[in-house]
Amino acid sequence: MRTFAIQKHVMEQKNFDPDGVGVDNGTYFGLPFAPETAELVLISAPWDVTVSYGGGTAYAPDAIIEASTQLDFHEPLAPGAWRRGIATADVDYSLLESSQRLRADAARVIDHLEGGGCLEDDYVVRKVRRVNEGCMSMNANVGAQASRWLDAGKTVGLVGGDHSTPYGLIRALGARHAAFGILHVDAHCDLRDAYEGFEFSHASIMFNVLRDVPQVTKIAQVAVRDFSESEAALAASSGRVATFDDLSLAAALFRGETWDAQCRRIVDALPQEVYVSFDIDALTFENCPHTGTPVSGGLTFNQAVWLLDTLTRSGRRIIGFDVVEVCPAPDERIDAITGARMLWKLCGQTLKSNES
């Protein structure tokens, strides 16, 4: 069986020209690999029910797939790593249908709260319950998809959707690893408890991980710059959270500490096995102008890539990752282009870190 899989893997590449025109075949990067033979499998979560400002991230997987076919395959930081196989699992579009339906309920709840209402009002109680039940179903769906490929010996990456979507994948990894850390690159801490009444809010992902996944021993939060006092207090009091906020990183640069030294300091906070959770709003505005909750400041694209490469060069192993909160716009492609290229960098670094 192993020999057959290798032969099939070679056949998949035989008629594929990496220097040719991008192939619109419905996969990320137009690559020809099947999930059964690839080392890395990408699953998709077209979902953005609980977003509290700008919507549209549910359409990111399709937009990133489209943008990714314009990408060239030479990757100097992980040369040739893609040849070991990056495959696209079938997208479950029932998630998108559920997201669109539940988003209307969530929007009414948010409007009610912003208008001075409260969560105990009869108007919103049933809507909140419906949204929470739907989010639990989404988590189960993503968890089942991830488990299928993890049990087949694959490394799994997730393309969101909003930042609530990786929960099922992180839970699945927690069931298979005794201890690991999370490199959380984001403008927000996402440490809110059931934000706006939604237990699995995009703003609650790391709170939920701390609560539900004890195997996560450390979360290193990088470039965070928009968070509440309660989130700051939780981060400061938890031995499982290391904060490298955007202002502190900028201050260190102003005082002469190189970005390379800062990256090494961030990576040193993490254990040997690491999951990378990459929210695109960690980057500066020009990289993601339409992301749902944009915040001034942030990392340049190359700063983020250097951080990922520092992680890999340290000898740590990336056991999974996500790219979330990419919000495509009908009249501009920069968000999807940035998302596709960050996804490519993460794929390369992940495969490089798993070289035998």
Side-chain angles (χ1 to χ4, degrees), residues 26-243:
T27 70
Y28 292 104
F29 315 112
L31 290 170
F33 304 105
E36 291 76 13
T37 58
E39 286 192 32
L40 173 61
V41 176
L42 299 176
I43 62 176
S44 307
W47 182 274
D48 66 349
V49 170
T50 63
V51 292
S52 46
Y53 192 52
T57 60
Y59 303 103
D62 281 349
I64 291 173
I65 286 172
E66 180 181 356
S68 69
T69 61
Q70 301 304 309
L71 180 146
D72 285 314
F73 292 105
H74 177 61
E75 176 47 72
L77 296 179
W82 66 269
R83 295 182 182 276
R84 287 155 50 198
I86 302 168
T88 302
D90 291 339
V91 181
D92 184 352
Y93 286 104
S94 71
L95 288 175
L96 180 59
E97 294 170 5
S98 296
S99 177
Q100 291 169 333
R101 184 175 65 254
L102 291 169
R103 176 63 194 149
D105 283 331
R108 291 188 183 99
V109 171
I110 294 167
D111 288 345
H112 180 74
L113 297 177
E114 290 179 349
C118 66
L119 287 169
E120 288 72 33
D121 293 340
D122 291 341
Y123 176 76
V124 300
V125 168
R126 284 188 295 275
K127 290 179 173 59
V128 169
R129 183 170 63 245
R130 225 172 6 246
V131 169
N132 285 338
E133 289 171 352
C135 289
M136 285 189 282
S137 295
M138 180 274 292
N139 290 336
N141 180 304
V142 171
Q145 289 190 62
S147 294
R148 174 189 176 186
W149 299 116
L150 291 171
D151 289 344
K154 312 299 181 182
T155 302
V156 176
L158 177 140
V159 181
D162 70 41
H163 211 156
S164 71
T165 54
Y167 176 85
L169 171 55
I170 296 171
R171 284 290 299 267
L173 289 167
R176 291 161 177 81
H177 294 262
F180 63 98
I182 296 178
L183 176 60
H184 174 209
V185 190
D186 199 333
H188 308 88
C189 290
D190 294 345
L191 288 171
R192 293 177 180 268
D193 182 2
Y195 185 55
E196 297 172 323
F198 305 128
E199 183 177 357
F200 295 100
S201 167
H202 69 113
S204 301
I205 178 69
M206 294 304 160
F207 179 92
N208 293 337
V209 166
L210 288 174
R211 181 190 64 197
D212 300 335
V213 192
Q215 296 84 0
V216 173
T217 59
K218 183 70 73 172
I219 302 175
Q221 301 197 306
V222 180
V224 291
R225 53 196 186 275
D226 194 26
F227 43 87
S228 68
E229 289 187 5
S230 63
E231 289 178 290
L234 175 57
S237 64
S238 174
R240 295 164 69 195
V241 179
T243 303

Side-chain angles (χ1 to χ4, degrees), residues 295-353:
V295 184
S296 302
L299 304 180
T300 68
F301 188 89
N302 283 339
Q303 282 180 315
V305 170
W306 193 255
L307 174 59
L308 297 176
D309 191 56
T310 303
L311 178 69
T312 301
R313 284 186 283 107
S314 75
R316 286 166 174 80
R317 185 165 78 93
I318 300 174
I319 62 171
F321 64 84
D322 62 69
V323 176
V324 295
E325 300 289 353
V326 174
C327 189
D331 55 344
E332 268 191 73
R333 296 180 177 178
I334 187 62
D335 300 82
I337 289 168
T338 301
R341 278 153 179 77
M342 188 53 67
L343 178 63
W344 177 251
K345 297 294 185 182
L346 273 164
C347 288
Q349 292 294 335
T350 297
L351 288 167
K352 180 180 175 181
S353 78

